[in-house]
Amino acid sequence: MSLGRECEGVITTLLHLAEGRLVRVSGPLTVSVVDGQVLVLGAIFSRGSSFHVDEFKSYGVKALVDSSLKIYMSPGASVEEPQSGEEPLDLWVSRIDDVMRRGCSSLAVMGPTDAGKSSVAALAANRALLRGLRTGVVDADIGQADIGPPAFVSASIVEKPILSLRELRPLYQRFVGSISPQRFERRVAAALVESVLRLRAEEGVDFIVVDTDGWVQGVNAVEYKLEALRLSGIESIVVMGDRELYRLVDRMYGRYGCGVVYLPSPAQRRIRDRGARRILRSRQYRAVLSGSRPRRISMSDVSVQGSCLFAGTPLTPMELQEIGRILGVKVLAASVTGDALVAVVAEKPRGNSVARLESLYERQQVYLVEKGSVKGVLAAVVDERGREHPALVDDIDFATNTITLYTPFEGEVRGIVFGNVRLNEDYVEVGRPSRCLL
Ligand SMILES: Nc1ncnc2c1ncn2[C@@H]1O[C@H](COP(=O)(O)OP(=O)(O)OP(=O)(O)O)[C@@H](O)[C@H]1O
Ligand SMILES: [Mg+2]
């Protein structure tokens, strides 16, 4: 590599790569191909083209012919020569190409967090594009969503080579309501199946790639995903970085379509800690929700799911007063179902007043919602065609039974689905997910 030039923190370097040679680049950086042709994530970049590598990403770049690259490195970026056997790019490409050569028209990627799932999903999409196939991607990794906001399953069409699923815009999306699939398996599975079927029926895609969540500990975690993949007709599964998981998936899926393929994770890669993951999620929430205008909707005009409060029979004003007297705080709304009493309180009650209320309602679990904590609950609004759009609760006026929420959707709203995620003003998740945020 020639000596770099630094300008405003960006170091510019000229790199000559002989045919067949490979370097590992870690972002944030931009590479422009001055001469030659390189392979990145299964996509070919030729002279005159350029690509960007995000701050949390690293990739192998391989010269297909003698090439010269201009690399613009921001702070934190690096370009290294991998040790032999460290870089999985060639193996990834050949195994994915093999699935396509055998005529299979769909593939799902499974593996633990940071295994390289989304990278291989993008690589598979790039390889399908190179074959001239109309390619769709379903992002069913609700915890580290790339295409849409977290807690949503999103689907997209790939129009050009991509280095990250983040470059794709959602064509349709389904709200799961949680960033963790546990206890939400049925919504993830339903959304995954629907997305795949719609991509086939409405978009006429030739090839489908599905990215899945990183929850792979235990049979239930694996089986719910395989169930959804089988029902949507996915023909092959790529398992990343976990041999034991591969054997389990192979026992459950190995005889279908093109079977189950194992791929190693990159030996050296950028690992994102919990903080980095939270920042990434926050960016995704902001991207879809910021700039949207508030809308006021009467709760009696919409169907409501995902709420303990709105699922129950509302208590009468007299009952609210009675509960308020027991709790020693103002109760703005409350409802009961067979197993839950939910009360919205103006402030946190003191002492053991909740226990007194619990002994009165002994068949119900008592949940208290503080009025202030309604703000920032992640939700989806449902339109008249049943499509879902991201939304963020601003406030609920219990006196008039109206909700104010922020959503980019401007049409008629028929329903609201509440999630178990709450965001602060900076779109950062706050509090713990609970059964009854609302
Ligand atoms: N060929 C490669 N060489 C080195 N690093 C790579 C390579 N391919 C991908 N990586 C890096 O490995 C890291 C994990 O990859 P990726 O994001 O695809 O994993 P994931 O399983 O989807 O993670 P998550 O669980 O967060 O969804 C990323 O930083 C990615 O840039
Ligand atoms: Mg991923």
Side-chain angles (χ1 to χ4, degrees):
M1 201 189 313
S2 67
L3 271 183
R5 244 181 337 105
E6 180 169 349
C7 175
E8 288 181 8
V10 177
I11 300 177
T12 309
T13 306
L14 193 63
L15 174 70
H16 298 287
L17 268 188
E19 178 179 332
R21 269 196 58 210
L22 192 147
V23 287
R24 181 171 54 240
V25 298
S26 302
L29 54 76
T30 300
V31 176
S32 87
V33 182
V34 179
D35 207 4
Q37 198 173 56
V38 294
L39 184 72
V40 195
L41 220 57
I44 295 169
F45 292 88
S46 302
R47 178 184 167 154
S49 64
S50 63
F51 57 90
H52 180 76
V53 178
D54 209 58
E55 66 177 307
F56 294 111
K57 297 275 180 195
S58 49
Y59 292 122
V61 177
K62 183 182 178 180
L64 295 175
V65 297
D66 288 351
S67 302
S68 307
L69 308 175
K70 208 170 207 177
I71 307 182
Y72 305 88
M73 298 161 67
S74 294
S78 65
V79 178
E80 301 157 293
E81 187 133 1
Q83 308 278 312
S84 86
E86 237 176 39
E87 256 310 314
L89 178 65
D90 285 335
L91 185 62
W92 285 4
V93 170
S94 73
R95 296 242 168 111
I96 297 291
D97 280 358
D98 188 51
V99 168
M100 292 178 194
R101 217 174 295 121
R102 283 153 62 203
C104 274
S105 62
S106 53
L107 164 164
V109 190
M110 267 175 87
T113 34
D114 270 323
K117 296 182 297 300
S118 303
S119 303
V120 165
L123 181 145
N126 289 335
R127 299 311 285 178
L129 277 191
L130 277 178
R131 287 175 175 258
L133 301 175
R134 181 160 166 80
T135 305
V137 177
V138 175
D139 179 4
D141 184 359
I142 51 171
Q144 206 60 72
D146 285 309
I147 300 181
F152 281 78
V153 169
S154 306
S156 183
I157 297 288
V158 188
E159 315 270 4
K160 58 175 183 48
I162 48 171
L163 288 197
S164 162
L165 300 182
R166 272 171 198 251
E167 294 169 32
L168 302 174
R169 295 277 59 83
L171 184 62
Y172 14 87
Q173 42 197 9
R174 279 282 169 216
F175 188 48
V176 171
S178 167
I179 56 164
S180 147
Q182 263 155 303
R183 295 186 299 110
F184 288 78
E185 296 91 334
R186 60 176 199 268
R187 278 206 209 157
V188 180
L192 195 165
V193 174
E194 188 210 17
S195 304
V196 171
L197 297 186
R198 280 183 62 184
L199 279 178
R200 282 213 190 94
E202 294 173 21
E203 302 301 323
V205 297
D206 309 307
F207 198 86
I208 296 184
V209 182
V210 181
D211 193 8
T212 63
D213 62 70
W215 179 44
V216 290
Q217 292 74 34
V219 172
N220 176 49
V222 175
E223 197 155 40
Y224 106 83
K225 280 186 269 291
L226 294 186
E227 211 65 79
L229 295 173
R230 186 167 58 81
L231 298 189
S232 46
I234 296 298
E235 291 173 294
S236 54
I237 297 181
V238 175
V239 176
M240 308 263 338
D242 182 336
R243 289 250 174 222
E244 204 175 314
L245 176 67
Y246 164 71
R247 284 190 286 270
L248 172 62
V249 174
D250 192 48
R251 285 193 293 276
M252 292 182 166
Y253 217 92
R255 302 284 85 76
Y256 300 129
C258 291
V260 182
V261 177
Y262 178 78
L263 285 183
S265 296
Q268 292 294 330
R269 61 188 185 272
R270 283 271 153 101
I271 299 289
R272 288 146 293 186
D273 60 16
R274 289 169 77 95
R277 288 173 177 279
R278 192 193 283 246
I279 292 171
L280 283 167
R281 286 200 297 273
S282 162
R283 277 190 203 163
Q284 296 286 93
Y285 294 125
R286 185 190 297 271
V288 287
L289 290 163
S290 71
S292 48
R293 286 204 299 264
R295 293 191 59 168
R296 269 169 72 85
I297 294 167
S298 168
M299 291 303 290
S300 50
D301 288 344
V302 289
S303 298
V304 182
Q305 285 179 7
S307 159
C308 294
L309 177 72
F310 290 101
T313 308
L315 298 192
T316 63
M318 265 185 41
E319 288 168 318
L320 294 186
Q321 266 190 7
E322 175 61 12
I323 293 178
R325 205 181 47 73
I326 295 169
L327 292 174
V329 292
K330 188 167 172 51
V331 176
L332 302 159
S335 75
V336 279
T337 52
D339 64 354
L341 164 78
V342 189
V344 182
V345 291
E347 62 197 296
K348 207 184 179 99
R350 276 197 228 121
N352 61 352
S353 56
V354 179
R356 289 223 304 282
L357 189 62
E358 277 170 345
S359 64
L360 210 67
Y361 282 85
E362 52 186 20
R363 286 196 302 120
Q364 275 93 2
Q365 172 92 38
V366 173
Y367 296 97
L368 294 187
V369 176
E370 278 175 64
K371 169 75 163 65
S373 70
V374 163
K375 190 180 173 70
V377 171
L378 188 67
V381 290
V382 186
D383 67 22
E384 74 273 19
R385 292 188 302 164
R387 308 256 165 125
E388 294 168 359
H389 311 268
L392 199 59
V393 179
D394 182 46
D395 191 24
I396 300 178
D397 182 343
F398 291 99
T400 58
N401 204 29
T402 49
I403 186 167
T404 308
L405 30 80
Y406 289 92
T407 174
F409 179 65
E410 294 182 344
E412 188 191 337
V413 174
R414 290 287 172 85
I416 301 177
V417 184
F418 292 106
N420 80 351
V421 178
R422 203 158 76 82
L423 307 180
N424 70 13
E425 305 271 339
D426 292 323
Y427 301 93
V428 176
E429 292 152 5
V430 284
R432 298 182 127 260
S434 82
R435 188 183 146 209
C436 287
L437 267 187
L438 212 124

